């Protein structure tokens, strides 16, 4: 892929190049001698810490192979980012804590640009259903799946017991594994994989 990128970029000049995630940083090596006035990158998050935490979640679920793989990914991200990140002129990350970690780990101080979602000015007028909970997240991402299972196992039963009234839960997201659907069914919760409109 990098060879193809080099061929495509040969003889071209760029005022700015933006790299969207840390795992794409090696693509900047494909620019070779092509002049780039400003190189920016959006780390989005601290991938090293994220993969370490994902590894810990796998460990808690008894999946030692997945834990070891996530820990290896964390080390690979750390080495790769240490090599490529200092070449960037502008670096962005989502939180102040991650900014400080990045500075300590790589000697680069990112600009904090928090993740945000544009919310509509107004939503369609609908009467709220008392006791209705909604969880949204792609379940192919272990932290989202872990959170949904935690809500099912720990939170929903407590809410129902302590409120003394019906509490419903709808889990919305793609790649819901059988384990999630089965646990949701036992607790009379709903799993919806394809929602056209979350509003």
């Amino acid at each position: 892929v990098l060879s193809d990128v080099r061929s495509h970029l040969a003889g071209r000049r760029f005022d700015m190049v933006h790299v969207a995630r840390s795992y794409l940083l090696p693509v900047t090596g494909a620019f070779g001698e092509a002049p780039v006035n400003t190189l920016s990158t959006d780390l989005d998050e601290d991938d090293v810490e994220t993969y370490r935490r994902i590894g810990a979640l796998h460990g808690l679920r008894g999946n030692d192979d997945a834990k070891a793989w996530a820990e290896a990914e964390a080390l690979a991200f750390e080495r790769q980012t240490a090599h490529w990140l200092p070449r960037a002129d502008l670096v962005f990350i989502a939180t102040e804590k991650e900014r400080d970690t990045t500075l300590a780990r790589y000697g680069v101080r990112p600009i904090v640009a928090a993740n945000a979602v544009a919310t509509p000015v107004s939503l369609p007028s609908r009467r709220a259903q008392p006791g209705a909970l909604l969880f949204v997240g792609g379940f192919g991402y272990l932290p989202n799946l872990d959170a949904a299972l935690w809500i099912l196992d720990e939170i929903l039963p407590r809410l129902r017991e302590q409120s003394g009234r019906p509490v419903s839960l709808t889990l919305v997201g793609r790649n819901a594994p059988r384990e999630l659907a089965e646990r949701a069914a036992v607790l009379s919760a709903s799993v919806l994989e394809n929602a056209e409109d979350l509003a």
Side-chain angles (χ1 to χ4, degrees):
V1 170
L2 293 179
S3 176
D4 289 344
V5 172
R6 276 189 205 94
S7 296
H8 179 72
L9 299 178
R12 299 179 69 189
R13 181 188 175 285
F14 300 91
D15 292 325
M16 182 172 201
V17 171
H18 179 74
V19 178
R21 288 297 299 263
S22 64
Y23 63 84
L24 293 171
L25 281 167
V27 172
T28 62
F31 285 83
E33 299 304 314
V36 174
N37 288 346
T38 304
L39 174 62
S40 73
T41 189
D42 182 359
L43 297 176
D44 184 53
E45 64 187 357
D46 179 350
D47 289 311
V48 174
E49 184 61 25
T50 297
Y51 274 92
R52 286 181 179 148
R53 288 180 165 191
I54 289 172
L57 285 175
H58 281 301
L60 290 172
R61 297 170 63 83
N63 191 339
D64 292 336
D65 290 340
K67 177 184 177 182
W69 184 263
E71 290 171 353
E73 288 282 353
L75 290 173
F77 268 111
E78 190 167 29
R79 285 192 305 267
Q80 177 174 289
T81 305
H83 179 75
W84 292 102
L85 191 62
R87 301 171 189 217
D89 301 299
L90 294 170
V91 178
F92 301 93
I93 202 155
T95 69
E96 291 178 9
K97 180 180 179 186
E98 291 170 313
R99 175 201 58 206
D100 297 343
T101 302
T102 302
L103 177 60
R105 192 181 293 140
Y106 308 114
V108 173
R109 183 182 177 86
I111 298 165
V112 175
N115 291 329
V117 175
T119 56
V121 175
S122 65
L123 293 174
S125 178
R126 294 194 180 134
R127 187 177 180 95
Q129 295 177 347
L133 304 177
L134 173 66
F135 178 94
V136 180
F139 299 117
Y141 184 56
L142 182 61
N144 291 344
L145 174 61
D146 184 68
L149 292 170
W150 177 69
I151 290 170
L152 282 168
D153 293 343
E154 300 291 332
I155 303 303
L156 186 59
R158 288 182 190 178
L159 284 174
R160 286 176 174 167
E161 180 183 325
Q162 293 178 13
S163 71
R165 64 179 189 181
V167 177
S168 68
L169 171 63
T170 303
L171 303 164
V172 178
R174 294 201 171 126
N175 302 312
R178 179 182 295 152
E179 171 190 18
L180 181 64
E182 289 171 353
R183 281 159 90 168
V186 168
L187 291 165
S188 300
S190 303
V191 176
L192 180 61
E193 288 217 43
N194 294 300
E196 288 185 24
D197 184 351
L198 288 176

